[in-house]
Amino acid sequence: MPARTTVLVTGGAGFIGSHTCVELLDHGYDVVVVDDYSNSVPGALERVAKIAARPPVAVHEIDLLDRRALSRVFDEHRVDAVIHFAARKAVGESVELPVEYYDTNVGGTTALLHAMRDHGVHRLVFSSSCSIYGDATKVPLTEADPARPTNPYAASKWLCEQVLADICRHLAGFSVLALRYFNPVGAHPSGLLGEVPRKAVPNNVMPYLARVAAGRLPRLSVFGGDYPTADGTGVRDYIHVMDVAEGHRLALEHLDDEVGMRVFNLGTGRGTSVLELLAAFQRACGRPIPYEVTDRRPGDVPALVADPGAVARAWNWSTARDLDVMCRDAWRFQELNPSGYPN
Ligand code: WQD
């Protein structure tokens, strides 16, 4: 892409979005953020400005479904490409609020496509998810493995991929890269940027571990000890959020390789059980972490691990940060930000 490239980042104040903004700014891109702060806080962007070589060019607090407001953003900035993170992303919540999930995730994506087409913007990196593979028994998973979403969140991501593939078939010049990430965890090494769940009791295991280590929660409930895995606990492919951010920058730089829709897994290829993750976090924080093995969590699958070979072959790139680095960075962020970002 040309030197002064302007990238519109939807959901740029979120966990992965904010880390990707730092990556883009540090590599000379101009960044325009759109976020409605429904699952993020402006404080994250203040930290982005503090860490990155330069602050984002502009931040617009709008809902993607507000088409006039979104169109005005494209009128105001010469957008060269878009990275679309903005979405609802809690599996359990999606079962309770299916309409909201399809409205935000699918409706938000088509509203964005409207604005992109009307402003001649044809390059998009889309935030997809390994959750579309559903209850996959195969380990590891390639992009050719079937999508079998088992909840409205995963189904909304799969639907978006199908919409984007069809748009590419019918609208000349569109180039879309969909990244199916596995389990993004960790934090920026500065300790200034990290994962700040809105709920006092996080859904995801890594922020939960951090709060147990900090003494803010009594113990970790290990959801299930009878899975068909080495130690009976769930296995996931944890990937450092800075590797995820780097993957998005590389996707941006490969959008012009060809027109049309391409899909890539974003994972390390290494599976880690809950008990292995807990042991790694204990090494990072230097203290024992109380836990108890409880019943399985409804909707969980035994194992989800990526085959990262497609990205390695296409971009000559693979993840660089291992589990100990993920835990070390997550713990540093927890220690420096016990209450998250200042409101
Ligand atoms: C990981 C493991 C749990 C909490 C996430 C996102 C989803 C998608 C994929 C982006 C599982 C176990 C958890 C706890 C536990 N990301 N666990 N105790 O479910 O893999 O999904 O990554 O699209 O949106 O939610 O992540 O961190 O909730 O669970 O034992 O208190 O940890 O059973 O094996 P999950 P998670």
Side-chain angles (χ1 to χ4, degrees), residues 67 70-71 74 79 82 109-124 167 170-174:
R67 293 189 178 199
L70 183 59
S71 184
F74 280 84
V79 175
V82 179
T109 299
T110 52
L112 177 64
L113 287 167
H114 244 282
M116 288 177 67
R117 181 204 57 190
D118 294 354
H119 292 81
V121 179
H122 297 160
R123 297 187 186 100
L124 173 66
I167 291 289
H170 292 88
L171 294 189
F174 255 80

Side-chain angles (χ1 to χ4, degrees), residues 106 109-110 113 158-169:
V106 182
T109 299
T110 52
L113 287 167
W158 174 229
L159 268 176
C160 287
E161 284 195 19
Q162 294 172 81
V163 165
L164 292 167
D166 209 35
I167 291 289
C168 288
R169 282 191 283 272

Side-chain angles (χ1 to χ4, degrees), residues 9 19 60-61 103 154 167 177 205 247 250 252 303:
V9 180
H19 288 78
H60 297 271
E61 181 179 357
D103 201 20
I167 291 289
L177 267 170
V205 68
L250 286 167
L252 208 54

Side-chain angles (χ1 to χ4, degrees), residues 89 129 153 183 203-205 221-223 234 236 238 297 300:
K89 70 149 188 107
S129 167
Y153 164 70
N183 287 57
N203 286 323
N204 295 135
V205 68
S221 297
V222 176
F223 296 148
R236 294 292 184 275
Y238 297 98
R297 178 173 64 178
D300 272 353

Side-chain angles (χ1 to χ4, degrees), residues 36-317:
D36 65 0
Y37 300 126
S38 58
N39 191 27
S40 58
V41 290
L45 294 174
E46 290 161 18
R47 296 292 179 86
V48 168
K50 198 168 182 178
I51 299 168
R54 296 172 297 117
V57 168
V59 178
H60 297 271
E61 181 179 357
I62 64 164
D63 179 340
L64 287 183
L65 296 176
D66 179 347
R67 293 189 178 199
R68 291 166 59 89
L70 183 59
S71 184
R72 280 198 297 272
V73 174
F74 280 84
D75 291 337
E76 186 178 332
H77 304 282
R78 185 184 52 75
V79 175
D80 296 295
V82 179
I83 301 183
H84 180 32
F85 290 107
R88 292 169 180 262
K89 70 149 188 107
V91 169
E93 184 187 55
S94 76
V95 176
E96 294 157 21
L97 301 172
V99 174
E100 287 78 2
Y101 267 69
Y102 286 114
D103 201 20
T104 302
N105 294 0
V106 182
T109 299
T110 52
L112 177 64
L113 287 167
H114 244 282
M116 288 177 67
R117 181 204 57 190
D118 294 354
H119 292 81
V121 179
H122 297 160
R123 297 187 186 100
L124 173 66
V125 177
F126 175 68
S127 162
S128 191
S129 167
C130 67
S131 56
I132 69 167
Y133 293 114
D135 191 354
T137 51
K138 181 170 172 275
V139 171
L141 290 160
T142 73
E143 294 81 355
D145 284 308
R148 295 183 299 195
T150 58
N151 57 75
Y153 164 70
S156 73
K157 288 295 186 179
W158 174 229
L159 268 176
C160 287
E161 284 195 19
Q162 294 172 81
V163 165
L164 292 167
D166 209 35
I167 291 289
C168 288
R169 282 191 283 272
H170 292 88
L171 294 189
F174 255 80
S175 172
V176 176
L177 267 170
L179 303 181
R180 293 175 181 167
Y181 3 108
F182 282 67
N183 287 57
V185 294
H188 189 271
S190 66
L192 292 174
L193 203 58
E195 188 171 7
V196 181
R198 287 184 83 82
K199 292 164 50 175
V201 180
N203 286 323
N204 295 135
V205 68
M206 187 66 108
Y208 200 110
L209 276 169
R211 292 189 186 183
V212 173
R216 296 183 58 195
L217 290 169
R219 71 186 63 75
L220 175 73
S221 297
V222 176
F223 296 148
D226 58 352
Y227 284 109
T229 60
D231 63 16
T233 63
V235 169
R236 294 292 184 275
D237 184 334
Y238 297 98
I239 175 172
H240 197 293
V241 65
M242 289 314 292
D243 278 329
V244 175
E246 208 169 283
H248 280 77
R249 174 179 56 81
L250 286 167
L252 208 54
E253 293 167 1
H254 285 276
L255 274 173
D256 291 342
D257 293 357
E258 53 190 281
V259 292
M261 166 90 160
R262 284 155 288 155
V263 177
F264 287 113
N265 284 339
L266 212 45
T268 67
R270 286 186 301 278
T272 300
S273 74
V274 179
L275 290 180
E276 287 168 336
L277 182 66
L278 186 143
F281 207 93
Q282 285 183 150
R283 290 195 294 274
C285 68
R287 58 189 75 169
I289 294 181
Y291 72 93
E292 61 172 337
V293 179
T294 60
D295 293 338
R296 296 182 178 188
R297 178 173 64 178
D300 272 353
V301 298
L304 277 172
V305 179
D307 176 334
V311 159
R313 288 186 296 275
W315 301 347
N316 189 29
W317 176 82

